[in-house]
Amino acid sequence: MKKSIIISAIALSFTFGTAHATPFTSTDNAPEIVRYYKVNSFCVSIALGDIDTVMKLLSIGEDVNQVSNGMTPAMYAAKYNRTEILELLIKHGANLKAKTAKKMTAAKYAEIHGADEAAQIIKTALVENKKK
């Protein structure tokens, strides 16, 4: 009988001890976690739809297949449905078959983000490239 009372008392003390526990949520000295994603100005211009800046950068020799934050300029154009810019990139030799580390292409970005016009442009360009 004494054993069961002692065991019950110990179990009861653990129950009350954990029921009133509060998680550690100190904000006074907690370090702030900041993540920076490096996207070059060329891809930022594409994402914003700034075709004038894109044209200027292309005219001074910007690489249409450079990778910025894991994506090519064509992927940014496809993702944000920047059709005029996408056509311009294709004319300048953008590689539409390039893949990210997650095996995603510009066509896949267009599909995921509902950029139907960009998807059609990519599909047409890939068909035309096969004919050549």
Side-chain angles (χ1 to χ4, degrees), residues 37 86 101 104:
Y37 297 101
L86 182 59
M104 303 226 335

Side-chain angles (χ1 to χ4, degrees), residues 8-46:
S8 297
I10 292 172
L12 193 59
S13 67
F14 279 118
T15 304
F16 282 116
T18 57
H20 297 292
T22 57
F24 177 73
T25 55
S26 173
T27 56
D28 297 333
N29 296 324
E32 183 178 333
I33 298 173
V34 179
R35 290 191 174 102
Y36 293 99
Y37 297 101
K38 289 199 168 204
V39 179
N40 63 32
S41 58
F42 186 49
C43 291
V44 169
S45 298
I46 292 168

Side-chain angles (χ1 to χ4, degrees), residues 100-119:
T100 64
K102 294 180 181 178
K103 308 293 183 215
M104 303 226 335
T105 61
K108 188 66 175 174
Y109 276 104
E111 177 189 330
I112 289 172
H113 294 281
D116 297 329
E117 296 88 3

Side-chain angles (χ1 to χ4, degrees), residues 51-101:
I51 194 163
D52 294 330
T53 302
V54 172
M55 288 172 43
K56 286 176 188 173
L57 290 170
L58 286 172
S59 71
I60 60 171
E62 193 72 38
D63 181 10
V64 294
N65 292 310
Q66 65 183 309
V67 176
S68 180
N69 197 28
M71 295 169 54
T72 64
M75 292 174 189
Y76 281 99
K79 179 179 178 177
Y80 294 103
N81 204 31
R82 306 298 186 203
T83 55
E84 285 183 79
I85 295 173
L86 182 59
E87 289 171 341
L88 186 63
L89 294 172
I90 292 169
K91 285 179 188 173
H92 281 83
N95 180 5
L96 298 176
K97 294 181 181 180
K99 293 184 179 182
T100 64

